[in-house]
């Protein structure tokens, strides 16, 4: 397994953890449990962002630039609905 695949697996695991902690925060029954899940979610989101940034720096998470005209077309289509 190369470094890119390993980082993709780690990023996907972090995203899955964020999802679980978000639901734990939303569904928690007490303020103490809510606060605990919320703190862990915040840490997990930071970790996910760090992993993403490292992948992006290496060119392993490419992004497409969207033309402003396409953005305006989508925006107009939703505003007309």
């Amino acid at each position: 397994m190369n470094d890119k695949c390993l980082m993709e697996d780690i990023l996907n695991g972090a995203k899955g953890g964020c999802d679980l902690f978000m639901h734990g925060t939303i569904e928690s029954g007490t303020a103490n449990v809510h606060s605990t899940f919320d703190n862990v979610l915040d840490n997990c989101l930071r970790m996910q962002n760090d992993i993403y940034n490292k992948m992006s720096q290496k060119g392993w998470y490419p992004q497409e630039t969207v033309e402003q005209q396409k953005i305006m077309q989508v925006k107009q289509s939703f505003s007309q609905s």
Side-chain angles (χ1 to χ4, degrees), residues 1-16 48 51-52 54-56 58-62:
M1 178 179 280
N2 64 31
D3 289 347
K4 180 182 177 189
C5 289
L6 182 60
M7 290 294 282
E8 287 173 348
D9 286 348
I10 293 169
L11 181 63
N12 286 331
K15 287 180 178 181
Q48 180 273 329
I51 296 166
Y52 161 78
K54 290 193 184 312
M55 290 182 71
S56 182
K58 292 185 176 280
W60 294 343
Y61 206 107

Side-chain angles (χ1 to χ4, degrees), residues 20-26 28 32-42:
L20 289 172
F21 295 133
M22 180 196 61
H23 284 90
T25 303
I26 292 169
S28 57
N32 189 30
V33 173
H34 177 89
S35 177
T36 301
F37 271 112
D38 192 44
N39 288 334
V40 175
L41 173 60
D42 188 53

